[in-house]
Amino acid sequence: MTTRVTADTTIGPDEWDDRDLDGETFRRVRFVDLDMMEMADDGTTFEECTFSNVRFNVSVHADAAFVACTFGSCSFFDATFNGCKLTGSTFSGCTYGLLKVDGGDWSFTSLAGADLRGSTFDGVRLREADLSGANFTGATLRRCDLSGAALRRADLTSCDLRGSDLSTLDPSAVTLRDATVDPHQATIIVTALGLQVLP
């Protein structure tokens, strides 16, 4: 396993010669206009890094950490994150087609207004994440911890929500048309609407 600690520098296309990453560490690095497509990332740590116009398409990240990072105008088409930590990271102007997230901690992330149609989040911790105005049409949000998450104006049309924590969801502030929920969640939603559930 190699380790690279590069602080307060900028890495552009001319300085980027790695296709795969294995356990490396980057802190306060600016990644600009890079092609990280099809990259394999195993256990790499990025802390307070900035990614501008970086293409993560079809990349696979396992047990990696992107802590308090900023992503601007990046592409995540068909990217996969397995057991990754992205706490406190912010996404702006990014594209996410077919994004797949399995496990991991995305608490306190900001995905406000993100177009996440068709994406999959399974068993992900999204505690207090900002998902306001995000479009989850046809997406999967199964077994996710959404406690305290901001979901105002989120579009959950045809979204699979089964097993997720909806205890703080305001059903009047989101679009839930054709969403799939389990019986426990249905009770929570009905109660939040001020209705009584009787046997």
Side-chain angles (χ1 to χ4, degrees):
M1 181 179 68
T2 59
T3 300
R4 177 192 302 167
V5 180
T6 310
D8 300 313
T9 60
T10 298
I11 296 178
D14 293 339
E15 295 80 29
W16 185 251
D17 56 2
D18 292 326
R19 172 64 61 176
D20 298 332
L21 296 171
D22 183 7
E24 300 187 67
T25 299
F26 298 88
R27 180 174 173 79
R28 294 195 305 274
V29 177
R30 294 177 293 276
F31 298 90
V32 181
D33 298 329
L34 295 185
D35 181 355
M36 293 187 177
M37 295 192 297
E38 300 185 5
M39 179 184 72
D41 170 11
D42 187 2
T44 299
T45 297
F46 300 89
E47 297 179 353
E48 300 177 25
C49 293
T50 300
F51 298 85
S52 300
N53 192 34
V54 175
R55 296 171 294 284
F56 292 95
N57 302 342
V58 204
S59 60
V60 178
H61 308 265
D63 301 316
F66 297 82
V67 179
C69 292
T70 300
F71 299 87
S73 301
C74 296
S75 174
F76 294 91
F77 177 77
D78 204 18
T80 300
F81 291 83
N82 294 319
C84 296
K85 181 178 182 179
L86 281 89
T87 52
S89 290
T90 301
F91 298 79
S92 177
C94 299
T95 55
Y96 309 90
L98 302 180
L99 172 68
K100 294 180 287 294
V101 182
D102 187 3
D105 191 348
W106 289 53
S107 298
F108 306 102
T109 56
S110 178
L111 286 158
D115 185 352
L116 291 159
R117 288 177 292 178
S119 61
T120 298
F121 289 79
D122 194 339
V124 183
R125 190 178 190 192
L126 287 157
R127 185 182 293 265
E128 297 191 44
D130 185 359
L131 307 175
S132 56
N135 189 344
F136 287 99
T137 299
T140 296
L141 278 170
R142 295 200 64 183
R143 296 181 291 274
C144 293
D145 182 357
L146 294 168
S147 56
L151 284 161
R152 186 171 181 80
R153 301 186 311 281
D155 190 343
L156 301 170
T157 300
S158 300
C159 183
D160 186 349
L161 295 162
R162 287 175 294 173
S164 291
D165 184 345
L166 303 182
S167 59
T168 57
L169 175 70
D170 179 358
S172 66
V174 300
T175 301
L176 283 168
R177 186 175 60 254
D178 295 326
T180 302
V181 296
D182 58 40
H184 175 66
Q185 292 170 319
T187 301
I188 291 174
I189 292 170
V190 169
T191 302
L193 289 170
L195 304 178
Q196 294 185 14
V197 180
L198 299 176

